[in-house]
């Protein structure tokens, strides 16, 4: 390969190189000790040194140097592992460079020209390998060449990055190179003459964590099903671990989580993943999680800057994030100041004059007459240009429409977030009460106002406290902004923790979640969905109808048709909008609460925000998101409440009750007037609020939980505590709790105020940042997805184990091989029409299926019936036989059942399987081998049924066959469907398979003789039966000799049976007549030869085949995919 030219001085160097070729400007050299027959002492010494050196220090045995005449300085420009490789570079130099160098007069010009040309060659090769995307293309290119040579993967296996490190084997470290590709983690080491290769698929990794051992304080531990591997001594361990985690997460979500795969286009092009892409993806994930923006939002730039914050009278340092539809700002100090600016609210983006006090400033003006000043922006001109282009596009796609109803905040739809203007919050309660008087008894779809405005009557004693809260919020909003573009600071968080006034709750939820932007951008969308979805009947609508009356039944709003109808419309409209989610339990409870405080259309968009942005992957088939957060919650318990975690060694009991905390945001297990305060915090802080409140609940009950005797008592303690959380500031009457039956004791239970509990949660557990939570989610998603894989595996094995004789441990290994075969096709092949992706929504047994080509790979590796070149044909026939529903896909159960017959079946079962493989549907007219009849003297069947033996004896098989067939017919299960008879062409194929199976068997000669004997018998039986059948139908003389109506007891029933005309259609109609033999004929004939009986009844060991398959499955797949001979690649069995 070409090398970046670097000058070296060879005057005083050891004579380690021998010149092979030379010209005026180039020298081709071979390193001593390579390619020498005997070799002198120097050559032996150099060769031995190269053999024992670590792989990092080994030197290629051939090189080309650039030499300038008269200079002692040389520059290596190429190297090679073989003479043929280096000679190609030499030929290229002679043909393309050598004749042009003579035109240069200056020696320095010659050196510069050659070096520039070689660098251009390197750059050209680099670009073809995507290596130009890496920071050091030359080094990456070198690593890519070594990766491909060492592991022999197909070209589709793209290398992402590589690191030097140690892999620990017990207490022994092995220095080498770690290669991270899109589907695998690979390690290579060559030390002291020993080579080590590890290949670990990302989908096999069950745990990825940073840990320490007795020798090193910081290592990366990779845990798979059977082994743990520790890697250490990285130059930048933080970066390595982050890249590993991202690659594992991306690969698992791409291959094991169909629901996320369809929503994320980035997962659908794994071949384009690079190190920079992973870093950009991680930044994009953080951006969307931090600001809780739509999944489709694409991050364009992250720029360091400072924002003028008028409330603090200074500029606040932070970062600006720009995306398709948003400009966002986050301060460096967590929680100090955050801003979300939807581009549809932006009026103008202007550059200001650059001064020493305000370097590179821009002004962003919004519709509510606010302006945001950003300074210290690098590359300001380019940034403003791109922002203006996107601003123009957003306004073209979503023109702003103003609400014609003026100041009426109760209108069904508002088209701009600016309607939440400065003068409107204070009048909201009065507007609501005035509108309530004129709306009683009316419930037009969609409902024009929050349900609390109609169905709640506030006690006068608490109205004054509510007015105080409204006053505090209005004062805050005047200073910090009233729209979605408000300054979000620690002060507003404290106001939220105190509880949002009921009159402002719905609108603030819209602002905090940015659902107001979706509402304003999609006028009429909800009404269209309602029209399209109502009246339709399907499984989802049936589930919704079943749960409608279970949604807050204690609230008066849902004790009549007004609330129920609104709830039905919102849920069915959302199910119609997002059929992948449809409807999940707990969505009804959440939507009911949203309808209490927001108008119907607003509640719909709040539900969209919760399901698609704030709680991603919660409301789908497997609720993966909720399970991931449960696992994160368990880790936080161990970290924040170690004493409780130590007492409750199994935290899964807590998970059973805390799952509803996350799915319903505490709405289903807390009194409603208290739970809505939790929802306030959730809409402002996201899932972080639920984590910290859950920890606060456990911490408040830690003493009682530690003294509990069992899980049941612990759950009772938590339920009773949550049932007695009250909201003293709530203006509404208390709603009866659904958990009142837990409080039937005589002594009154102490009451906890929700405001105090929320305040404690922020003070004690509010230090978790969004970045930390996202990191924990990434870590635990791996465990959750692998847990689902283990569940699938155990359920499949539980069904299969009773039906086969293969040992459970061998079945487990077969399942792993079956799954890996499916995965390898996902790695390196374009999806074929029949090949279905892993679909977790299907029944367990159908989640992994393989097509005909994948089955052929496994058949070659695992089948005991090896037939040389005929094996592939036999595999095709076996697949057609097992594919009952003809969908070109095979499940694990069918695959294992076939292997079980081959390894553990009785002889008659094995013969029956072979027989079925040579009749339709397994054997077809288009079968590759069906048109090559067996050329053999056996086809001449004019001999009697008396065959001679080598020792001169003779055996008459007629009576033997007669008795055997009678016995077989007697034992045959009457309920079993009779198999079609075999035509002569099918029989020839059957014989050919048997001949192929006996090849290289220790008893090969005896088996060939035996099958020749049996074939002759069967061919004669078929002809005799054919003759009897034709005589009975067309010859009077034949009818007299063998009356078909009354056969004598001595007459052989074989011939009678063989004479019958088969009723089924044949795949190979015989032009010569209806020559047929039945399964009973075949089996009875085979039983006459002891060597054949021994062959089919000898015990077979599947374990050796399994070990061989595990070692060679990858190399066979790589060989087929790359279509070129490859050295063996062994998958490390981790």
């Amino acid at each position: 390969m070409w090398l970046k030219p670097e000058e070296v001085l060879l005057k005083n160097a050891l004579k380690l190189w021998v010149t092979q070729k030379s010209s005026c400007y180039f020298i081709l050299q071979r390193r001593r000790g390579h390619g020498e027959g005997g070799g002198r002492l120097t050559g032996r010494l150099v060769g031995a040194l190269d053999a024992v050196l670590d792989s990092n220090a080994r030197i290629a045995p051939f090189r080309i140097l650039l030499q300038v005449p008269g200079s002692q300085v040389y520059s290596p420009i190429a190297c090679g592992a073989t003479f043929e490789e280096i000679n190609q570079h030499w030929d290229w130099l002679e043909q393309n460079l050598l004749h042009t160098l003579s035109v240069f007069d200056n020696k320095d010009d010659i050196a510069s020209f050659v070096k520039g040309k070689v660098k251009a060659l390197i750059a050209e090769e680099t670009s073809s390998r995507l290596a130009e995307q890496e920071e050091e293309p030359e080094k990456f290119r070198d690593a890519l060449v070594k990766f491909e040579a060492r592991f022999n993967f197909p070209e589709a296996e793209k290398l992402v990055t590589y690191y030097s490190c140690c892999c620990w084997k017990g207490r022994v470290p092995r220095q080498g190179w770690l290669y991270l590709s899109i589907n695998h983690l690979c390690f290579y080491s060559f030390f002291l003459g020993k080579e080590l290769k590890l290949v670990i698929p990302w989908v096999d990794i069950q745990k990825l964590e940073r840990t320490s051992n007795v020798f090193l304080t910081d290592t990366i531990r990779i845990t798979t099903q059977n082994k743990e591997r520790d890697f250490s001594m990285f130059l930048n361990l933080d970066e390595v671990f982050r890249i590993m985690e991202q690659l594992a997460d991306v690969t698992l979500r791409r291959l094991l989580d169909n629901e996320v795969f369809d929503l994320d286009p980035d997962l659908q092009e794994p071949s384009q993943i690079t190190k920079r892409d992973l870093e950009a993806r991680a930044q994009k994930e953080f951006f969307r999680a931090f600001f809780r923006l739509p999944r489709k939002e694409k991050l364009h730039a992250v720029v360091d800057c400072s924002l003028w914050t008028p409330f603090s009278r200074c500029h606040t340092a932070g970062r600006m994030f720009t995306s398709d539809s948003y400009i966002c700002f986050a301060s460096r100090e967590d929680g100090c100041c955050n801003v979300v600016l939807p581009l549809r609210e932006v009026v103008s983006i202007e550059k200001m004059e650059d001064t020493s006090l305000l370097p590179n400033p821009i002004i962003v003006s919004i519709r509510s007459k606010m302006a945001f000043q950003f300074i210290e922006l690098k590359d300001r001109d380019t940034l403003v240009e791109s922002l203006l282009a996107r601003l123009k596009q957003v306004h073209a796609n979503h023109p702003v429409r103003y609400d014609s109803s003026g100041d009426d905040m109760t209108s069904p739809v508002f088209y701009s977030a600016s309607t939440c203007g400065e003068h409107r919050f204070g009048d909201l309660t009065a507007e609501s009460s005035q509108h309530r008087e004129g709306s009683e008894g009316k419930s037009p779809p969609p409902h024009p106002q929050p349900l609390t405005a109609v169905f709640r009557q506030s006690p006068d004693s608490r109205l004054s406290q509510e007015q105080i809260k409204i006053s505090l919020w209005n004062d805050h909003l005047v200073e910090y902004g009233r729209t979605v573009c408000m300054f979000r600071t620690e002060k507003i968080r404290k106001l939220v923790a105190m509880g949002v006034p009921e009159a402002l709750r719905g609108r603030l939820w819209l602002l905090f979640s940015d659902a107001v932007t979706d509402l304003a951008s999609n006028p009429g969308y909800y009404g269209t969905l309602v029209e399209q979805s109502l009246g339709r009947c399907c499984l989802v609508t049936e589930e919704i109808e079943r749960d409608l009356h279970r949604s807050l039944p204690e609230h008066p709003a849902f004790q009549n048709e007004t609330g129920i109808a609104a709830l039905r419309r919102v849920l069915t409209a959302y199910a119609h909008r997002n059929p992948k989610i449809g409807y999940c339990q707990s969505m009804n409870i959440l939507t009911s609460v949203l309808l209490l405080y927001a108008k119907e259309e607003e509640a719909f968009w709040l539900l969209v925000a919760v399901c698609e942005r704030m709680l991603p992957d919660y409301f789908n088939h497997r609720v993966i998101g909720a399970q991931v957060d449960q696992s994160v919650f368990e880790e936080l318990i161990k970290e924040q409440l170690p004493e409780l975690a130590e007492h409750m060694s199994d935290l899964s009991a807590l998970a059973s009750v805390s799952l509803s905390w996350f799915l319903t945001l505490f709405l289903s297990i807390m009194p409603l007037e208290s739970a809505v305060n939790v929802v306030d915090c959730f809409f402002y802080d996201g899932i972080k609020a639920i984590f910290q409140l859950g920890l606060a609940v456990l911490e408040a009950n830690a003493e009682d939980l530690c003294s509990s005797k069992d899980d049941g008592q612990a759950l009772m303690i938590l339920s009773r505590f949550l049932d007695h959380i009250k909201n003293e500031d709530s203006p509404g009457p208390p709603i009866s709790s659904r958990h009142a039956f837990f409080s039937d004791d005589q002594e009154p239970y102490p009451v906890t105020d929700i405001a105090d509990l929320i305040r404690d949660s922020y003070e004690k557990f509010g230090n978790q940042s969004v970045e930390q939570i996202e990191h924990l989610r990434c870590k635990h998603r791996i465990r959750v997805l692998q847990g689902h894989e283990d569940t699938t595996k155990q359920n499949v094995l539980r069904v299969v184990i009773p039906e086969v004789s293969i040992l459970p441990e061998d079945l487990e290994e077969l399942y792993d091989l079956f799954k890996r075969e499916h995965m390898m096709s996902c790695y390196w092949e374009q999806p074929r029409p029949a090949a279905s992706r892993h679909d977790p929504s299907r029944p367990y047994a159908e989640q992994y299926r393989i097509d005909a080509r994948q089955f052929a790979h496994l058949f070659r590796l695992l089948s005991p019936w090896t037939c040389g070149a005929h094996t592939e044909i036999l595999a095709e026939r076996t697949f057609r036989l097992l594919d009952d529903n003809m969908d070109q896909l095979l499940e694990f159960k069918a695959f294992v059942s076939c292997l079980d017959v081959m390894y553990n079946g009785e002889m008659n079962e094995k013969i029956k399987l072979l027989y079925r493989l040579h009749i339709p549907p397994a054997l077809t007219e288009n079968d590759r081998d069906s048109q090559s009849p067996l050329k053999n003297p056996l086809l001449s069947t004019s001999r009697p049924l008396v065959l001679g033996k080598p020792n001169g004896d003779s055996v008459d098989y007629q009576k033997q066959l007669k008795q055997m067939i009678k016995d077989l017919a007697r034992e045959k299960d009457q309920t079993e469907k009779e198999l079609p008879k075999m035509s002569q062409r099918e029989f020839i194929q059957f014989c050919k398979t048997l001949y192929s199976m006996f090849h290289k068997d220790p008893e090969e000669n005896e088996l060939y003789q035996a099958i020749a004997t049996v074939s002759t018998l069967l061919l004669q039986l078929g002809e005799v039966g054919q003759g009897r059948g034709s005589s009975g139908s067309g010859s009077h003389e034949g009818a007299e000799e063998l009356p078909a109506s009354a056969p004598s007891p001595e007459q052989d029933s074989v011939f009678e049976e063989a004479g019958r005309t088969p009723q089924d259609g044949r795949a190979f109609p015989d032009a010569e007549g209806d020559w047929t033999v039945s399964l009973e004929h075949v089996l009875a004939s085979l039983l006459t030869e002891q060597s054949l009986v021994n062959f089919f009844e000898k015990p077979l060991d599947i374990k050796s085949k399994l070990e061989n398959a595990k070692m060679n499955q990858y190399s066979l797949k790589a060989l087929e995919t790359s279509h070129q001979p490859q050295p063996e690649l062994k998958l490390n069995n981790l």
Side-chain angles (χ1 to χ4, degrees), residues 181 260 304 377 381 481 495 509 516 556 563 644 652 751 753 818 917 978 1101 1128:
S181 67
V260 173
D304 289 332
L377 289 159
D381 294 343
L495 284 174
W509 287 357
V516 65
L644 178 62
S652 59
V751 172
D753 187 64
F818 187 88
L917 291 176
E978 184 177 356
D1101 181 24
E1128 182 179 287

Side-chain angles (χ1 to χ4, degrees), residues 881-944:
L881 176 64
L882 299 177
D883 186 18
D884 293 332
N885 57 2
M886 302 182 69
D887 64 351
Q888 304 302 311
L889 294 170
L890 211 60
E891 300 166 9
F892 178 70
K893 183 178 177 181
F895 170 72
V896 171
S897 300
C898 177
L899 282 182
D900 187 50
V901 172
M902 294 179 180
Y903 279 97
N904 303 312
E906 299 290 339
M907 179 180 176
N908 61 331
E909 293 175 328
K910 295 179 181 179
I911 299 303
K912 181 178 179 181
L913 176 59
L914 275 172
Y915 183 91
R916 295 181 64 196
L917 291 176
H918 295 83
I919 59 174
L923 192 69
T924 65
E925 292 185 16
N926 298 323
D927 192 288
R928 280 191 286 165
D929 205 37
S930 64
Q931 304 304 322
S932 56
L934 190 65
K935 303 298 183 182
N936 195 290
L938 293 177
L939 293 178
S940 174
T941 57
S942 59
R943 288 170 286 177

Side-chain angles (χ1 to χ4, degrees), residues 989-1004:
Q989 293 301 314
F990 178 81
C991 294
K992 186 170 184 178
T993 299
L994 289 177
Y995 270 96
S996 302
M997 287 172 62
F998 301 152
H999 184 56
K1000 294 185 179 180
D1001 189 275
E1003 307 294 329
E1004 182 177 355

Side-chain angles (χ1 to χ4, degrees), residues 88-273:
Q88 290 179 359
H89 290 73
W90 180 268
D91 292 342
W92 189 92
L93 291 171
E94 285 188 330
Q95 295 169 13
N96 297 278
L97 279 188
L98 202 57
H99 66 279
T100 63
L101 297 182
S102 58
V103 302
F104 293 97
D105 297 327
N106 192 323
K107 298 177 182 178
D108 293 334
D109 291 342
I110 293 175
S112 298
F113 177 80
V114 174
K115 290 177 181 179
K117 190 63 179 176
V118 171
K119 288 179 180 179
L121 290 172
I122 293 174
E124 184 178 349
E125 290 182 4
T126 300
S127 62
S128 68
R129 294 286 190 175
L130 300 175
E132 76 281 4
Q133 300 180 18
E134 302 300 323
E135 297 175 359
E136 298 178 290
E138 293 85 1
K139 291 184 178 180
F140 183 81
R141 176 182 167 277
D142 182 35
L144 182 62
V145 171
K146 291 178 180 178
F147 171 71
E148 292 177 342
R150 289 167 176 170
F151 296 99
N152 301 299
F153 284 125
E155 188 177 353
E157 186 67 21
K158 300 295 182 184
L159 178 65
V160 175
T161 188
Y162 64 99
Y163 300 95
S164 174
C165 70
C166 277
C167 176
W168 290 80
K169 189 174 182 180
R171 296 187 176 183
V172 180
R174 296 292 297 266
Q175 176 63 36
W177 288 94
L178 182 71
Y179 298 93
L180 305 181
S181 67
I182 56 175
N183 297 305
H184 299 87
L185 179 151
C186 306
F187 178 79
Y188 179 85
S189 174
F190 188 90
F191 187 66
L192 296 177
K194 292 185 178 180
E195 187 179 61
L196 172 66
K197 289 184 184 180
L198 299 179
V199 178
I200 308 174
W202 292 115
V203 290
D204 287 355
I205 292 178
Q206 297 184 338
K207 190 185 297 184
L208 181 63
E209 57 188 343
R210 293 175 65 165
T211 183
S212 59
N213 59 28
V214 293
F215 302 102
L216 294 168
T217 57
D218 213 356
T219 63
I220 296 176
R221 175 166 295 171
I222 308 291
T223 304
T224 57
Q225 185 177 359
N226 300 317
K227 287 187 181 179
E228 291 180 348
R229 291 283 185 183
D230 288 341
F231 298 89
S232 64
M233 297 186 186
F234 293 98
L235 190 62
N236 188 343
L237 189 135
D238 290 335
E239 175 190 305
V240 177
F241 185 72
R242 186 175 65 251
I243 295 294
M244 279 186 177
E245 207 168 44
Q246 290 167 359
L247 273 171
D249 181 58
V250 166
T251 307
L252 286 169
R253 294 169 83 171
R254 173 167 57 89
L255 297 176
L256 303 183
D257 194 359
N258 246 18
E259 294 159 318
V260 173
F261 176 86
D262 294 332
L263 297 174
D264 195 340
D266 295 341
L267 295 179
Q268 299 172 23
E269 289 294 336
S271 61
Q272 303 302 317
I273 292 176

Side-chain angles (χ1 to χ4, degrees), residues 482-539:
R482 297 177 176 274
T483 69
V484 70
C485 306
M486 67 175 67
F487 291 98
R488 307 180 189 213
T489 65
E490 190 63 32
K491 184 177 179 182
I492 197 171
R493 179 177 283 119
K494 291 179 180 178
L495 284 174
V496 171
M498 290 170 55
V500 173
E502 291 209 356
L504 308 183
R505 180 164 277 139
R507 288 305 172 88
L508 287 174
W509 287 357
L510 285 167
L511 298 184
F512 293 157
S513 65
D514 194 38
V516 65
T517 300
D518 291 333
L519 174 63
S521 301
N522 298 278
Y525 176 77
Y526 173 69
T528 303
L529 282 181
V530 170
E531 292 177 4
Q532 293 174 349
S533 60
L534 282 183
R536 293 194 175 189
C537 185
C538 60
L539 182 61

Side-chain angles (χ1 to χ4, degrees), residues 309-330:
T309 48
F311 53 88
S312 61
R313 302 290 191 272
C314 68
H315 283 90
T316 301
R319 290 188 297 173
M320 175 192 286
F321 300 81
T322 65
S323 65
D324 293 337
S325 308
Y326 290 87
I327 301 172
C328 302
F329 175 84

Side-chain angles (χ1 to χ4, degrees), residues 48-95:
L49 183 64
D50 286 349
V52 300
L53 274 178
D54 175 22
S55 55
N56 306 348
R58 295 175 71 184
I59 299 172
F62 296 92
R63 70 178 183 179
I64 297 176
L65 301 177
L66 167 66
Q67 65 163 5
V68 179
S71 173
Q72 296 297 317
V73 178
Y74 295 76
S75 300
I77 60 173
C79 69
T82 64
F83 182 79
E84 290 75 17
E85 179 185 356
I86 202 69
N87 203 44
Q88 290 179 359
H89 290 73
W90 180 268
D91 292 342
W92 189 92
L93 291 171
E94 285 188 330
Q95 295 169 13

